[in-house]
Amino acid sequence: MASTYDHLDAGQRAIVDASVATYERVRPMLKSVTRDMIQTLISMFKDAEVTPLFVTGRTKTVESFREKISRLDPPAVPGGEPTLKFPDPFRTLNDMVGVRVITKLPAENAVVANLIKRQRQIFDCRGDREKAIGSIESGTYGYSSRHLILRTLQNDTVRAYQAVFNPELPANGSYFFECQIRTVFAHAWSEIEHDIRFKGEDPRAWSPQFDRQFTATAAMLEVVEKEFAELHERYETVVSFWDEAGEGAAPLTPERIREVWQTLLPHVDRKIDDDWGWAAELVAAHGLTETRQLVELLDAERITDVRKALDHRYSPGPDRLLDDLLLWRYGREHIELTAEPADAGPHPRRDSLQRRLKQIERYRLTGR
């Protein structure tokens, strides 16, 4: 396997070898720092408004450390020699300790980041940026991740590490590390991508088709995340409809009925120029005046039974389906409250409702 280390000259290798030897010596203590950071973050989210799926982390392996500090910068002047990108890695690298907070939805990333940044007695946030392999601005796709650079404050585990790293310097408990915040979908994508793209056995085995597939899966990932975010938002809206002291008590105006209907039954369409005044009149006739009463009426099992009972020739719009649901629930009372008087002249609505009620009654008796 090709390595960046193989391209170094003798002087550069000596510098890298010395840093690697130090890292091998102190890595066990850095693993303790990693565990401490993970536990600190887990405790932080116990009573938080958002609970991550999980918090994980890793201490950079010796091999990964060697590869990273073997990277070269281009020559400072034309014809010059390339120089080590990280000649003093213990001062400049922030990812020897890395912690990842994994969320369910993209919107939770910002909530989690803000909560961490507010813990000023524990951490000093020295960097905060959105990182994506692909970005909207460039028109490409990749996973999105929130990256925080945090500095610990007077941490005892860090002090223990510092005492091993250099006993001659005072241990102040201050250490920089990286905290990534990303969704479980982005986490899965990045882990697989990292294993294949950066841990490949031989770079000569790389195929452009891999790039195409990673781009395609990143695009699908973005769509899936948006769908789950919309699903969660719809769920929160529906739950609010049942709140007797809140949204559930909102009056059933035509606009409110439209909002409830489009949230619960977006697949039951209506003409674009229709209004919802007739729907408001129908529910008001039965004293249904609050949002939660309409939500209770629009029960999925009831809708299924009504569709089976009436065997609609054409898919009913909201007015017709609502009319049938009220007829199913209230029977002849619905006819008397909303149809023409029985002794009136032509009464097409009364005739239609009576015919449909017979179908409902037959279905209840026979199941067909």
Side-chain angles (χ1 to χ4, degrees):
M1 176 179 175
S3 167
T4 54
Y5 181 82
D6 297 335
H7 300 289
L8 303 181
D9 61 30
Q12 292 165 340
R13 287 191 183 186
I15 295 173
V16 168
D17 289 344
S19 294
V20 170
T22 299
Y23 188 71
E24 287 181 314
R25 178 172 60 84
V26 302
R27 187 172 181 271
M29 298 306 299
L30 279 178
K31 291 175 71 174
S32 296
V33 173
T34 302
R35 287 192 294 269
D36 192 353
M37 296 306 99
I38 292 172
Q39 290 304 316
T40 297
L41 288 169
I42 290 174
S43 299
M44 191 181 298
F45 293 111
K46 279 185 177 177
D47 299 315
E49 54 185 303
V50 169
T51 302
L53 280 176
F54 57 90
V55 179
T56 185
R58 61 98 185 99
T59 308
K60 189 177 283 295
T61 64
V62 174
E63 293 76 14
S64 179
F65 178 79
R66 177 187 288 109
E67 280 297 298
K68 185 153 188 175
I69 68 172
S70 297
R71 294 178 186 175
L72 296 171
D73 273 337
V77 295
E81 295 295 326
T83 57
L84 287 172
K85 189 177 185 69
F86 304 106
D88 189 2
F90 294 97
R91 281 183 173 273
T92 56
L93 289 187
N94 297 320
D95 66 344
M96 290 184 287
V97 169
V99 178
R100 298 183 179 98
V101 181
I102 309 304
T103 63
K104 294 186 289 292
L105 300 167
E108 295 178 350
N109 290 353
V111 178
V112 167
N114 291 335
L115 190 149
I116 294 173
K117 291 163 67 176
R118 288 199 301 268
Q119 309 304 311
R120 296 182 179 89
Q121 75 282 7
I122 302 175
F123 300 128
D124 174 24
C125 183
R126 305 303 294 269
D128 179 2
R129 64 191 179 98
E130 292 280 354
K131 183 178 180 180
I133 294 175
S135 67
I136 295 174
E137 289 80 4
S138 64
T140 58
Y141 286 97
Y143 84 96
S144 178
S145 181
R146 186 83 171 261
H147 281 216
L148 305 181
I149 300 299
L150 302 175
R151 180 171 68 93
T152 63
L153 301 176
Q154 301 180 1
N155 183 280
D156 289 338
T157 307
V158 170
R159 285 194 177 100
Y161 154 73
Q162 292 171 332
V164 172
F165 178 74
N166 191 342
E168 297 179 2
L169 293 177
N172 59 13
S174 176
Y175 184 79
F176 288 87
F177 72 98
E178 182 182 77
C179 176
Q180 294 186 27
I181 306 163
R182 60 198 187 198
T183 67
V184 65
F185 304 104
H187 180 62
W189 190 95
S190 64
E191 291 295 301
I192 295 171
E193 193 263 358
H194 185 265
D195 283 346
I196 294 177
R197 179 171 274 156
F198 296 108
K199 293 184 180 179
E201 289 298 322
D202 189 335
R204 293 172 299 180
W206 186 261
S207 165
Q209 183 62 23
F210 295 163
D211 287 319
R212 286 175 56 83
Q213 286 183 277
F214 275 124
T215 299
T217 54
M220 288 187 284
L221 171 72
E222 182 174 306
V223 172
V224 169
E225 285 191 333
K226 287 181 178 178
E227 287 298 315
F228 272 108
E230 182 180 331
L231 190 156
H232 179 74
E233 183 178 347
R234 186 183 299 275
Y235 170 76
E236 292 294 322
T237 300
V238 172
V239 168
S240 74
F241 288 160
W242 291 93
D243 180 8
E244 296 184 17
E247 291 294 317
L252 286 176
T253 63
E255 292 74 19
R256 183 60 166 179
I257 294 175
R258 179 183 64 227
E259 178 187 350
V260 171
W261 193 281
Q262 291 178 345
T263 299
L264 296 179
L265 303 170
H267 59 287
V268 182
D269 251 337
R270 67 180 302 123
K271 295 177 182 177
I272 194 168
D273 58 346
D274 282 350
D275 64 46
W276 294 78
W278 174 238
E281 291 181 23
L282 286 178
V283 295
H286 293 279
L288 306 181
T289 60
E290 296 183 349
T291 294
R292 61 189 177 86
Q293 294 174 312
L294 175 61
V295 175
E296 190 277 330
L297 177 70
L298 301 180
D299 177 74
E301 291 187 11
R302 181 180 292 124
I303 291 174
T304 298
D305 284 335
V306 166
R307 288 185 183 279
K308 289 180 179 177
L310 297 178
D311 192 21
H312 298 108
R313 182 179 300 178
Y314 303 103
S315 294
D319 283 344
R320 173 58 188 272
L321 184 54
L322 180 62
D323 199 23
D324 289 340
L325 287 168
L326 290 167
L327 183 62
W328 173 278
R329 179 170 180 175
Y330 294 104
R332 295 194 179 280
E333 179 185 353
H334 182 62
I335 299 175
E336 297 306 322
L337 288 173
T338 65
E340 311 93 338
D343 57 356
H347 33 66
R349 174 168 171 74
R350 177 176 288 270
D351 293 342
S352 175
L353 287 172
Q354 288 178 335
R355 173 183 54 78
R356 284 144 59 192
L357 181 59
K358 288 181 181 178
Q359 287 180 264
I360 289 172
E361 291 171 341
R362 182 170 61 251
Y363 174 81
R364 282 175 167 156
L365 285 174
T366 65
R368 56 188 175 86

